[in-house]
Amino acid sequence: MRAMLISSALVAVLAVSAPAFAMPTSLLPIEPEVAVPASELAPLDANSAWAPRFAAAADELARALRSRDEGQWAPLLGGQWLSAADRERVGNLLVDRDSPFLPALFSKAFTHRAIFGWTAPASLSAEERAAVEGGQEAEALVCWSAGGDGTGPWPTTAIEADNRPGLRYACARIAYSIRGGTPTWRAFIDQGAPA
């Protein structure tokens, strides 16, 4: 009993004398981060050297996704580097009745396709714009929507191309490279939470 009273008293003393642990304060001043506005999307210029490359990649990707055969679409989305979780997620997008892919790619209505690039900053000179156009790598967003006249609605930023349920279009990002003389591309399909 006496040992219990001594240990209880010791705990009480330690609890009173122990300093509260607080988060250390930084010795360096921290500037608040400036929010960067999302880059606006713009239709890919039909005269761009990239336009036929992205159009062919978009058509191949659409055919593979419509097949619903993982053996056809998985190689275009990274093949052996595509994680099991991403394989399952994309497979679900192709059968989920709330997925934007069902009406966009599997509807009996005519499927429209739009290919978007990011709007170049106005500060780019003509020389800088030519360097971007003549580069060896590029990215674009391809989106599909069924019915209507093809004028939209389409995403205005990449954030809006996240394939969340309820969208009237489905999108994929395509990264294209012509490095090494062999043109290659890989697609990415993002998925956001329901709105």
Side-chain angles (χ1 to χ4, degrees):
M1 182 75 169
R2 186 172 178 194
M4 188 180 280
L5 288 173
I6 292 173
S7 63
S8 296
L10 185 58
V11 169
V13 169
L14 289 175
V16 171
S17 63
F21 289 100
M23 293 298 293
T25 58
S26 174
L27 300 176
L28 301 173
I30 299 174
E31 295 291 326
E33 285 190 34
V34 177
V36 178
S39 294
E40 295 287 320
L41 297 175
L44 192 63
D45 184 356
N47 296 322
S48 166
W50 291 102
R53 292 181 175 115
F54 282 115
D59 290 345
E60 184 178 351
L61 180 59
R63 278 191 303 277
L65 293 172
R66 280 189 182 110
S67 76
R68 289 189 173 126
D69 177 8
E70 184 178 325
Q72 291 187 40
W73 56 258
L76 304 178
L77 297 173
Q80 66 185 12
W81 294 281
L82 186 63
S83 72
D86 282 337
R87 285 175 190 273
E88 181 179 359
R89 183 180 55 78
V90 172
N92 288 339
L93 277 171
L94 299 177
V95 295
D96 182 355
R97 65 185 177 125
D98 293 327
S99 166
F101 281 90
L102 287 188
L105 289 177
F106 299 99
S107 170
K108 293 186 190 300
F110 181 78
T111 298
H112 300 280
R113 181 192 71 206
I115 301 174
F116 299 97
W118 285 261
T119 303
S123 60
L124 285 182
S125 68
E127 184 177 281
E128 290 169 320
R129 288 176 192 272
V132 169
E133 180 65 24
Q136 294 186 322
E137 295 178 349
E139 275 192 15
L141 274 173
V142 58
C143 298
W144 302 275
S145 179
D149 59 3
T151 60
W154 297 112
T156 57
T157 64
I159 293 168
E160 295 173 8
D162 65 354
N163 300 305
R164 67 185 173 278
L167 290 178
R168 295 185 54 197
Y169 50 82
C171 300
R173 181 171 47 94
I174 296 175
Y176 209 108
S177 173
I178 54 174
R179 290 185 185 277
T182 304
T184 59
W185 60 271
R186 178 181 175 187
F188 301 85
I189 295 179
D190 297 319
Q191 184 178 17

